[in-house]
Each structure stands twice: as structure tokens, then as C-alpha cells.
Amino acid sequence: MLNEDQLAKLRRAGRISAEARDLGCSLCKPGAKLYDVAQEVEGYIRDHGCGLSFPCNISINECAAHYTPTPNDDKRFEVGDVVKIDCGGVLDGYIGDTAATVEVGTNAYRNLVEASKNARNTVAEFVGEGTSIRDIGRAIEMSVKRDGYKVVENLCGHQIDHWDLHAGFSIPPYDAGDETKIELGMTFAVEPFATNGRGYVDNGKFGNIVQVVREKPIDDPKAQDFLRYIADEFHGLPFCARSCDFPNAEKYVKLLMRKGILHGFAELVEAPGAIVTQHEYTFYAIGKRAEVTTLP
């Protein structure tokens, strides 16, 4: 169990994450640049005393996750885009992770947007100490199917730990037979993805998000300085060059990827023409009914 001070930090990180999520969703207007929205979301998190638990993901239509814009990215929202805003703040290692979906200027996919939200809310009604992973997955799949759609089978919720965004168990969005139970004091994210596609994502192109995966000696002194910077700034959490206050960050990200020190995340993409929606909460198992930490 977290002590009072630790729990206060988890709650604050969650609240700031939720406020940033809602801000990002409100900015998804026709003609707005993805880069500007990502900067606003991350700026809000940092301006309110948190670091970034990962870059702001802005994933559109068949892209389900793992895309964040670069400074030279000219992409703008178009009418009809179905946009997932996935963001998180961290305070002294205590993490918020949350997401929501908005449709830009239309309501053609309103029921699909609601499907992932309904599944998340269904889990929130019962999850807590003693709930099994299989029960969470079953509830997600039943809810999404009841709304007429498919879950994205290979995108899962996950346990969260101190300075560790994806720790311990995963939570598949279906009954995988996992009898592991949520224990008192655990933090975890539930993030149903719903789709009118096939229910499976593949790796696409590089989504501009990276993470340190190994330590290796490197001769370039500036690259060493950059490594020290990202260790102090991100503490092993995922990041992107855009989020770095370091000269020529993109150059050093590319160098460290070539050296195998950084791993690059690919966009996760459904079939062309499919639409994916996502809603996510972070929970803390404070008792038989878990607390949602990512409420504004």
C-alpha cells in the first residue's frame, strides 16, 4: 500500500493527466496542427508540476497508438478524423496514464467512440482488490460486442509501478484465462480499444517515440551528455525528441537508435479504412472498489 504522501502524488499525477487529456481533446478542431496540440498537452502537464510519463500520443482513425508529432510535422486535423489523445504525467515516479477519443466535426462514429468508453466504465464499476484479470477482460469484450464492435485483441491494459509505465501483468481485452488477481495497493491501467475493423493491429512506421533499452559506451561526448539528460529528465520512461530541452535532440535520438541504446516504437495500425477508439483510466486498488486516479 502507498503511504499518504505517495498516494497524494499518485492522485495529483492522475488529476493533471486527466486535465491534460481533456484539454487535448478540446483542441482537436479542423485545421489544428497535431504538433500544436501535443505541445499544449505536454506543456499543461509540465506547467502543473509533473514530468511526462510518455509523449502525448495523437493517433487518428486506423492508427490506434504510438504516434506523436515532430516539430516539422505539418499534419492537421480534418473533419471526420477519429482522434485518440493518450497522455500521462509523473510526479516523483507516481504515474498517470489516460486516454480518450474525439471525433473532429462529425458524429458518424459516435457509437464506436462510446463503445470503448462504455467498456472502460463497465470495468470501473466493479474492479478492485480480488478482481481477476480474466474477469476484467471478459467484461471489456462483452461490453464492446454488445455495442456491435470488436476489441483490439493485441492491445492490453497493464500494471503500473514506481517509474515503470508497463510493469508486471498485462490485461487483455478478453477472457484469456488469467486468474491473476488485483492486489491491494496495485496501480494499473485499463484501456479498451474498440474497432469496426478486424480486431488486430500491426506495426506501422516509426511513431517518433523511443525508450532506453540498454546501456553501451559511446565515444561522442555530446551524445553522452544527451544520455545523462534523458536519464535525469525521463528516468527510463518513453520520450521523444520533441519533448527534449536539449540542442539537436533529434540528431542524438537517431544516433542512439543506430547504436541500439534506444528502441523506437512503431505506430500500431488496424486495417486500412478501419476506425479505432480508445478510453483509458489509471486505477489504484485502495480496496474492493479501486479508485480512478485519472479524473479531472
Side-chain angles (χ1 to χ4, degrees), residues 203-232:
N203 285 340
K205 61 185 179 181
F206 176 48
N208 307 315
I209 300 168
V210 295
Q211 187 169 20
V212 176
V213 289
R214 62 178 56 88
E215 294 183 7
K216 289 171 61 176
I218 187 165
D219 294 334
D220 187 327
K222 276 292 186 182
Q224 283 286 5
D225 289 344
F226 182 67
L227 273 172
R228 283 190 286 270
Y229 165 79
I230 60 176
D232 290 342

Side-chain angles (χ1 to χ4, degrees), residues 68-81:
T68 198
T70 62
N72 60 354
D73 191 334
D74 290 328
K75 292 188 185 72
R76 296 176 183 268
F77 297 110
E78 298 180 3
V79 172
D81 281 345

